[in-house]
């Protein structure tokens, strides 16, 4: 690495969280700077061609896209979070992409306009969770005893459900004991905890209520 590290962030972004987790797991000092994605600064747009967070500045060099940033950190700093075996490493990268696809499904869930769409997206999440359950071993992490980049991806994924479950029990975890154990293990990991601000649950609730979606309606109903 060539210089001080700056992580350009949005306070709710799960992709930022995975990078923050990897930085923490590798013991790398970094500054974190939150921006408003509704009013992106010109300096940010010049450095991030896609206009998305996270953006990592290593000295004067800018790196965008969370998966690329995580791989860069993996190649340049210890400890290694990927398996040493090439086949296992490729499989882990595939499950990282699975996690990114699951985030898209989660977005569809909290943006669902009505109860039918909410139920459909919820069923899709449950199917994805069942696929994960079939992949997990004895844990406590995705691939056993060692924390990996896959774990860094799923810590932010599971965090959404802490807030979702305040409004209703959607049955996401029913019959999935390995997934429940993995979720608890990640939630207790210091790097995962530190990847968000203490007011993250409140901020996420505000974000979800502003969607005026079926989930927002349920959340409002629980407050009455």
């Amino acid at each position: 690495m060539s210089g001080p590290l700056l992580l350009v962030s949005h306070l709710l972004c799960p992709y930022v969280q995975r990078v923050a987790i990897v930085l923490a797991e590798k013991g790398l000092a970094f500054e974190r700077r939150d921006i408003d994605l509704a009013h992106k600064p010109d300096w940010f747009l010049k450095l991030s061609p896609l206009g998305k967070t996270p953006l990592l500045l290593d000295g004067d060099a800018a790196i965008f896209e969370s998966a690329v940033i995580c791989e860069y950190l993996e190649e340049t700093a210890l400890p290694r979070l990927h398996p040493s075996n090439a086949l296992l490493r490729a499989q882990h990268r595939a499950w990282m992409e699975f996690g990114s696809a699951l985030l898209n499904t989660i977005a569809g869930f909290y943006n669902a306009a009505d109860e039918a769409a909410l139920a459909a997206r919820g069923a899709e999440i449950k199917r994805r969770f069942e696929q994960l359950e079939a992949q997990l071993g004895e844990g406590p992490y995705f691939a056993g005893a060692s924390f990996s980049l896959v774990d860094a991806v799923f810590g932010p994924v599971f965090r959404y459900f802490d807030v979702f479950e305040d409004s209703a029990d959607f049955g996401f975890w029913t019959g999935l004991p390995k997934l429940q154990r993995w979720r608890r293990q990640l939630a207790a990991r210091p790097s995962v905890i530190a990847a968000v601000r203490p007011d993250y649950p409140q901020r996420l609730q505000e974000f979800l209520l502003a969607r005026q979606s079926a989930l927002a309606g349920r959340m409002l109903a629980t407050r009455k």
Side-chain angles (χ1 to χ4, degrees):
M1 296 184 181
S2 58
L5 298 174
L6 171 65
L7 178 61
V8 183
S9 161
H10 179 271
L11 59 88
L12 293 180
C13 179
Y15 297 96
V16 169
Q17 292 177 45
R18 66 174 64 167
V19 173
I21 291 167
V22 173
L23 286 163
E25 290 290 336
K26 291 179 177 288
L28 295 170
F30 67 99
E31 178 188 350
R32 186 165 176 171
R33 184 180 303 169
D34 289 336
I35 64 168
D36 182 356
L37 290 177
H39 303 91
K40 299 170 185 175
D42 289 340
W43 64 263
F44 170 72
L45 292 173
K46 290 177 181 177
L47 296 171
S48 178
L50 298 176
K52 299 191 299 185
T53 56
L55 175 73
L56 183 71
L57 297 180
D58 183 358
D60 294 330
I63 310 166
F64 60 97
E65 282 298 307
S66 63
V68 176
I69 296 170
C70 288
E71 294 289 350
Y72 171 69
L73 295 173
E74 178 67 4
E75 292 177 359
T76 55
L78 296 173
R80 296 288 180 244
L81 300 178
H82 261 328
S84 58
N85 178 274
L87 177 58
L88 289 177
R89 196 159 58 246
Q91 290 173 333
H92 275 221
R93 286 174 175 141
W95 284 105
M96 291 170 68
E97 182 59 30
F98 184 96
S100 295
L102 183 53
L103 284 171
N104 291 333
T105 304
I106 290 169
F109 178 77
Y110 65 65
N111 282 312
D114 53 43
E115 285 293 326
L118 186 72
R121 297 289 78 75
E124 186 177 350
I125 290 172
K126 183 62 182 287
R127 287 193 296 272
R128 297 304 184 199
F129 277 2
E130 289 169 348
Q131 290 176 289
L132 278 168
E133 178 79 9
Q135 179 66 24
L136 295 173
E138 296 306 312
Y141 297 110
F142 176 78
S146 298
F147 187 92
S148 71
L149 287 180
V150 179
D151 297 291
V153 166
F154 278 92
V157 170
F158 295 150
R159 201 192 308 269
Y160 276 100
F161 296 88
D162 299 337
V163 174
F164 292 165
E165 290 165 355
D166 285 342
S167 60
D169 179 4
F170 294 99
F172 289 128
W173 313 96
T174 303
L176 304 175
K178 294 179 181 179
L179 199 66
Q180 291 183 55
R181 181 184 60 204
W182 186 28
R183 177 195 184 191
R184 290 192 298 268
Q185 189 73 20
L186 291 178
R189 186 87 176 183
S191 64
V192 176
I193 295 170
V196 295
R197 293 179 0 183
D199 64 348
Y200 171 87
Q202 177 186 346
R203 297 279 189 153
L204 180 58
Q205 287 176 355
E206 292 169 356
F207 169 81
L208 295 173
L209 287 169
R211 314 312 288 176
Q212 298 183 341
S213 62
L215 179 64
R218 289 201 185 195
M219 293 172 66
L220 286 170
T222 62
R223 295 186 171 190
K224 296 178 180 178

